[in-house]
Amino acid sequence: MVDGFAWWQSGVVYQVYPRSFQDSNGDGVGDLPGLLARLDHLVTLGVDAVWISPIYPSPMADFGYDVEDYTGVHPLFGTMEDFDRLVAAAHGRGLKVILDYVPNHSSDRHPWFVESRSSRDNPKRDWYVWRDPSPDGGSPSNWLSEFGGSAWEWDAATGQYYYHAYLKEQPDLNWRNPEVRAAMLDVLRFWLDRGVDGFRVDAIHHLIEDEQLRDNPPNPGWREGMSPTRRVIRVHTMDQPEVHDAIAAMRRVVDSYPGDRLLIGEAYLPIDQLMAYYGTDLSGFQLPFNFHLLSTPWEAKPLAALIDQYEAALPSGGWPNWVLGNHDRSRVASRLGKAQARVAAMLLLTLRGTPTLYQGDEIGMTDVPIPPHLVQDPWEKNVPGLGLGRDPVRTPMPWDGGPNGGFTSGEPWLPLGPDAARVNVAAQATDPGSKLALHKALLALRRAEPALSVGSYRRVSAADDVLVYERAHGGRRLWVLLNLGRELRTVDAPAEGAHIRISTHLDRDGEPVAGSVRLRPNEGVVIGQ
Ligand code: NOJ
């Protein structure tokens, strides 16, 4: 904690995808006792909070993002007692616990939906988005599912369609219905009462759709090979103005609890639209996820421009945050290459604002190719061959060089990477130059130097593959110099009398800096006085 700042401002969030973190009972799927047994990894790494992807009862059509019971624990992951033990153990180690909250849709097996579809006059009918066919007898609008095909599913028994932004097994809840709101806000209270420190709110930009069901316009930018969902521009199905009222209601619940409880919002939106998710007078998310590092060209000028644009767009008092990877996107070491991924880690952990680190990125895991017969992800199954499937980024964590990387004594639900015997936590823990050692050192430096977490940001230069910026807080200044390319570069030293605090190669600590700084290919350094 830094004086004057909330824990989530100076802290670092670590995302656990529980199916793939640690299995404790040999069924090939990670679970809560497994996560508990590995909590010390997070402590030695030096993060502050663990966000756990969904652990609720679920038919697993979308691997837990199809929730059958919002206030339970799936037996695959353990029991409520396991969950309580996990929270206590995390808190005992100074770690915060953040759960995934999936308000946009439930599972089609959720009792609410089972009731809703049972008849047109069931009291829960309006809890989901039911509509009559269009006059020509087809689906009510041209809206498309994120995972392929129409977003409308015909229900022959009751003669209406229901809307699903994702799979047909994930019907959208109707947030315009006050009973739905009340029930879903109670879900937050249930977990807050059990001691959780916050929520990552899933797919928030999809929460509400156009009431008049207007067709989405065609997307002139769509090309063969792109996701079929992008054939239209989702103006009437995403980012509707009413969403902010719902978020403010979530925030009021969270704020009614003691301690600094946190709401993080998942919304893949352009920066200007994203800013609205902080809410009027910051009544929305404390951290609307900023995913722009995932899509910005990895070059000095565009990255510097992104940082400037984002910083300038933040509402007064709004806190920045940065993301380099998650369970939905290609891993950073695959996108940028292993060497450059070290520079990316330095960027992530030295930018102003809260970073989120995805499990396995701290050891440099790469996307694992999944043979067709082992594919699990419904997106890949529905829309094959376009590289949309997310299994490659969800493979189990390799902990050691033993069978299945120490992840499970059984058959893992997804295969481990072919490099697991080398790229694993135990091997890297004893290698002073490893990716893991780099993450630990960066996180330790960030903790020791609040300038790197909460300090001001100032761009110094962005040219010839090298991005240089200054971070300052309470009279201390540090400079970050990142060589984003594969050539040797020499840049002017931003300060006199400074020395290298850390290099991404971990071999230049304490080196004095005079006049200019030499940066090897794919090297970043932090310098300070
Ligand atoms: C976003 C989640 O991150 C993703 O994994 C999931 O499939 C969709 N939302 C639907 O819940």
Side-chain angles (χ1 to χ4, degrees), residues 62 65 105 147 166 170 200 202 266 327-328 390 394:
D62 189 23
Y65 284 97
H105 46 268
F147 289 151
Y166 293 90
Q170 294 168 296
R200 173 268 192 190
D202 184 69
E266 187 212 27
H327 63 297
D328 295 326
R390 300 161 296 173
R394 297 174 173 180

Side-chain angles (χ1 to χ4, degrees), residues 125-126 128-133 140 152 154 159-163 174 176 210-213:
R125 184 65 168 184
D126 184 52
Y128 291 83
V129 183
W130 290 97
R131 292 291 183 275
D132 289 331
W152 293 102
W154 175 244
Q160 280 191 312
Y161 285 88
Y162 67 85
Y163 175 70
N174 175 17
R176 290 199 172 95
D210 179 40
E211 211 158 18
Q212 300 168 45
L213 308 188

Side-chain angles (χ1 to χ4, degrees), residues 15 17 51 53-54 61-66 100-105 146-147 165-167 170 200-206 266 268 291 326-329 377-379 390 394:
Q15 181 191 359
Y17 191 70
W51 147 36
S53 282
D62 189 23
F63 295 105
Y65 284 97
D66 48 323
D100 221 305
Y101 174 61
V102 190
N104 179 66
H105 46 268
E146 290 297 308
F147 289 151
Y166 293 90
L167 297 174
Q170 294 168 296
R200 173 268 192 190
V201 183
D202 184 69
I204 192 66
H205 48 324
H206 280 290
E266 187 212 27
Y268 284 87
F291 293 118
N326 59 35
H327 63 297
D328 295 326
R329 299 290 158 137
D377 186 6
W379 197 2
R390 300 161 296 173
R394 297 174 173 180

